[in-house]
Amino acid sequence: MIQLQDLSRTYASEDIETTALGGIDLAIDAGEFVAIMGPSGCGKSTLLNIIGTIDRPTGGRYLFDGADIARAPEAELARLRRDRLGFVFQSFNLIDELTIQENVALGLAYRSMSAQEKKARVATAMDRVGIAHRQRHHPHQLSGGQQQRAAIARAIVGEPQLILADEPTGNLDTENGAQVMDILSQLNADGATIVMVTHSPAHADVARRTVHMLDGRILSSARRAA
C-alpha cells in the first residue's frame, strides 16, 4: 500500500535549516498494524503527517498503491484523504457546539451520498465504538475515553482503508487507553491498515510491527512474533 523511498523533510527559516526527516525508507502493506515509536522531536508526527498527505516531503518518493503522490496536486490529495484515509488525534478535535452524532457525520461532509445512507453510516460507526447511546450528547458531556471513541467513529465513518492515529491514547487513563487499543485492534482485524504513533511500549505491542525512530531516521523495524 505505502512505499517511502529516501524520503526527507526539511524546514527552512532565514537563519537555519532543520532536517525533520532524512533518508526514510519504509514499506507498509495493506492490512498491517504498525506502531511508530521514538523520543519527542524525532520525526514521528512529521512522518505520520506526510503519510496522511497533511504535509509534503522535501525529497524522495511516496508511493500509494503504486502511484507517486509526493508532488501530486492538492485536489488529488484531498480526494485521497476524503475517500481512503481516516485520522485520529490525541486531542480528539471534536466540535463542542455539535452533538456526537453531528461530529461523526463530519467524516462524510464531502461524500456524495443520500442523507439516508449518511445516517446509516453514522449509526454503524457509533455502534462499532460503543457510543450510540451518547449520540445526542455534546463532547463536554462525555469522558475523555468516550470523546476519543467518538473521534474514532468520525475517522471510520467513511470506511477508510488506512487509519492514521497520532498518540490516540495520550490523553487517556489506563482503562480508557486499553479500550481504544481494543477498538483499533478490531478495526485492523476487520481489514483496515493502521499506522499509529505512540510513546507507550504496551500499546506498541498491540501492533504487528514496531518502527523505532531517532533524529529523523528509522533505527529499526521489528515484527511481533505470532
Side-chain angles (χ1 to χ4, degrees):
M1 175 180 272
I2 293 170
Q3 285 187 307
L4 309 179
Q5 300 173 351
D6 196 26
L7 200 77
S8 64
R9 181 64 170 103
T10 59
Y11 297 94
S13 65
E14 292 183 1
D15 303 320
I16 193 170
E17 184 175 89
T18 302
T19 299
L21 298 175
I24 297 290
D25 291 303
L26 180 65
I28 298 172
D29 294 332
E32 277 203 274
F33 189 161
V34 177
I36 301 175
M37 297 192 73
S40 297
C42 73
K44 303 185 302 295
S45 291
T46 300
L47 178 58
L48 198 71
N49 287 340
I50 288 177
I51 293 174
T53 73
I54 296 172
D55 196 2
R56 290 178 181 264
T58 305
R61 304 180 74 202
Y62 174 10
L63 304 180
F64 192 99
D65 280 348
D68 192 349
I69 62 170
R71 289 155 194 83
E74 178 55 34
E76 180 181 338
L77 298 181
R79 286 192 295 272
L80 179 66
R81 289 191 294 269
R82 180 194 67 193
D83 297 338
R84 305 183 68 180
L85 308 185
F87 298 87
V88 180
F89 304 98
Q90 178 177 348
S91 57
F92 316 144
N93 290 349
L94 300 173
I95 299 175
D96 211 37
E97 291 76 18
L98 301 180
T99 66
I100 295 305
Q101 183 183 47
E102 290 167 338
N103 268 282
V104 174
L106 288 176
L108 299 174
Y110 299 102
R111 292 291 188 95
S112 297
M113 59 180 64
S114 68
Q116 183 177 5
E117 184 178 357
K118 286 185 178 181
K119 184 177 180 180
R121 287 273 197 103
V122 170
T124 298
M126 289 190 297
D127 187 61
R128 288 183 75 182
V129 301
I131 58 162
H133 63 298
R134 296 288 194 176
Q135 61 181 317
R136 300 192 185 280
H137 290 74
H138 288 77
H140 70 273
Q141 297 174 297
L142 274 58
S143 69
Q146 290 170 331
Q147 289 187 59
Q148 188 60 297
R149 280 186 273 161
I152 293 173
R154 181 186 56 199
I156 67 173
V157 69
E159 300 179 358
Q161 296 169 305
L162 174 63
I163 297 172
L164 302 170
D166 194 355
E167 293 284 358
T169 62
N171 285 338
L172 303 178
D173 60 26
T174 302
E175 181 179 355
N176 282 303
Q179 291 174 356
V180 165
M181 292 309 303
D182 286 344
I183 292 170
L184 292 177
S185 294
Q186 186 58 57
L187 291 170
N188 179 243
D190 291 341
T193 305
I194 298 178
V195 182
M196 174 184 70
V197 164
T198 183
H199 281 289
S200 168
H203 294 163
D205 283 345
V206 176
R208 299 181 186 179
R209 178 160 57 119
T210 301
V211 173
H212 288 275
M213 294 186 65
L214 182 66
D215 296 335
R217 295 183 180 275
I218 292 176
L219 293 181
S220 64
S221 177
R223 297 186 185 276
R224 181 165 54 89

